[in-house]
């Protein structure tokens, strides 16, 4: 996909799991990738693994006031940003009545407000180019009721609405905005929970027509596609990458 060659991408949460695989797949397309995350040590280990095309910047995206300066310094140092992947996200699993206002707000701050602020600042650098691409990582929790993840579900549904609203406003200016809704993907977020609970793992596999969990690289491949010219006429969609989970069984 030559259209991606030498372009610059930011991947939030690129130090682990799905974000790492997204960064890796973009780098395989000859792109330069900036990965962001809070854990500086883990981020640096990821940067070493990803090689010279990767730059790591320790940053907490919930520090909203710092985002404009962060994005400006990236543009000053590396040039205009072509692709933003809003991948960083957190979950908070608790019974409905045990979710505190603070915990709910923290999930919304990370998964929604920070996605908005990052996108707003990056779009400012895309507008003069008249081109750009944003990919938001949602979840099937946006479409399904899943018990004990109230804030996560609300946040992912918000991301999908935001994706459509951004797409209608920004696509006339050359900026495409899409989302990916991963199904059950084997990553840090899911591995511990499933490996320690074989019955749940069997249920997950049973609910997925393809009978398996996805790999982080499956999401990376979908990001490459949506970011590339092969998707030049695609904007405002939510692409399920879920082994058929969303079509029922
Ligand atoms: P991980 O927990 O492995 O990764 C989450 C990443 O987000 C980490 O790298 C973390 O880095 C980063 N992050 C979290 N909070 C912040 C913050 N405040 N500032 C900067 N970075 C932050 O999870 P996954 O890889 O599984 O998830 C990636 C995305 O995919 C999430 O949006 C998740 O909701 C979504 N998803 C995952 C599914 C799955 O099955 N795994 C299914 C559906 C959706 P650090 O801790 O260093 O800050």
């Amino acid at each position: 996909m030559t259209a991606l060659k030498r372009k610059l991408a930011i991947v939030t949460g690129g130090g682990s799991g799905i974000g790492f695989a997204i960064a890796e797949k973009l780098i395989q397309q000859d792109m330069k990738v900036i990965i962001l995350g809070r854990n500086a040590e883990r981020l640096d280990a990821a940067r070493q693994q990803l090689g010279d095309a990767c730059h790591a910047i320790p940053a907490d995206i919930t520090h909203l006031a710092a985002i404009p300066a962060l994005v400006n310094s990236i543009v000053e140092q590396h040039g205009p940003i072509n692709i933003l992947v809003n991948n960083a996200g957190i979950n908070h699993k608790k019974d409905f009545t045990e979710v505190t206002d603070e915990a709910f707000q923290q999930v919304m701050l990370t998964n929604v407000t920070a996605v908005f602020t990052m996108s707003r600042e990056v779009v400012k650098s895309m507008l003069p180019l008249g081109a750009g691409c944003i990919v938001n990582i949602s979840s099937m929790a946006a479409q399904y009721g899943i018990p004990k993840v109230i804030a996560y579900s609300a946040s992912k549904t918000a991301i999908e609405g935001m994706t459509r609203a951004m797409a209608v406003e920004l696509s006339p200016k050359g900026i495409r905005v899409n989302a990916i809704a991963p199904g059950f993907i084997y990553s840090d977020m899911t591995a511990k929970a499933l490996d320690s609970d074989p019955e749940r793992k069997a249920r997950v596999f049973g609910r997925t027509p393809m009978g398996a969990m996805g790999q982080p690289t499956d999401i990376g491949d979908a990001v490459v596609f949506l970011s590339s010219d092969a998707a030049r006429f695609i904007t405002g969609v939510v692409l399920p990458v879920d082994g058929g989970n969303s079509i029922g069984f």
Side-chain angles (χ1 to χ4, degrees):
M1 298 201 189
T2 48
L4 292 177
K5 211 171 174 162
R6 286 191 285 277
K7 288 198 169 160
L8 178 66
I10 296 180
V11 180
T12 66
S16 68
I18 291 174
F20 178 87
I22 293 170
E24 192 174 35
K25 287 283 177 179
L26 292 173
I27 286 169
Q28 284 168 9
Q29 298 298 319
D30 232 347
M31 291 187 64
K32 192 154 110 175
V33 176
I34 316 271
I35 55 173
L36 306 179
R38 294 164 302 181
N39 183 331
E41 217 171 290
R42 189 167 59 173
L43 210 59
D44 193 50
R47 185 194 58 75
Q48 287 183 32
Q49 248 182 293
L50 290 167
D52 291 345
C54 178
H55 299 260
I57 306 180
D60 185 335
I61 56 166
T62 65
H63 295 163
L64 303 179
I67 290 180
L70 171 70
V71 172
N72 280 339
S73 78
I74 291 173
V75 174
E76 272 170 27
Q77 238 184 303
H78 300 278
I81 298 151
N82 305 106
I83 289 152
L84 169 66
V85 186
N86 286 308
N87 161 79
I90 58 168
N91 196 353
H92 180 73
K93 277 194 180 173
K94 278 265 187 244
D95 286 342
F96 182 73
T97 51
E98 285 175 19
V99 179
T100 63
D101 293 342
E102 291 72 24
F104 189 93
Q105 277 172 347
Q106 191 60 28
V107 173
M108 296 303 277
L109 176 61
T110 310
N111 294 6
V112 184
T113 314
V115 170
F116 159 71
T117 307
M118 276 299 299
S119 302
R120 185 191 64 208
E121 294 309 309
V122 168
V123 162
K124 287 179 187 169
S125 96
M126 290 175 167
L127 285 174
L129 305 176
C133 182
I134 297 176
V135 182
N136 296 323
I137 305 301
S138 179
S139 163
M140 62 184 174
Q143 296 298 326
Y144 296 129
I146 299 177
K148 301 182 196 224
V149 294
I150 182 68
Y152 186 73
S153 293
S155 72
K156 293 301 187 181
T157 306
I159 281 184
E160 295 190 3
M162 202 155 70
T163 300
R164 287 184 282 272
M166 285 167 68
V168 291
E169 188 168 344
L170 299 173
S171 298
K173 297 169 181 165
I175 301 166
R176 295 186 297 106
V177 186
N178 291 295
I180 292 170
F184 294 105
I185 304 295
Y186 207 79
S187 77
D188 288 358
M189 200 181 257
T190 50
K192 267 187 235 139
L194 290 177
D195 285 346
S196 62
D197 188 347
E199 264 178 45
R200 190 162 160 233
K201 196 167 182 174
R203 270 203 313 278
V204 165
F205 278 44
R207 271 188 46 187
T208 307
M210 289 185 79
M213 284 179 78
Q215 293 296 326
T217 47
D218 294 320
I219 308 305
D221 284 328
V223 169
V224 167
F225 166 65
L226 286 175
S227 306
S228 74
D229 276 0
R232 55 178 282 278
F233 204 47
I234 299 177
T235 195
V237 305
V238 179
L239 176 67
V241 180
D242 62 0
N245 213 291
S246 51
I247 52 172
F249 198 42

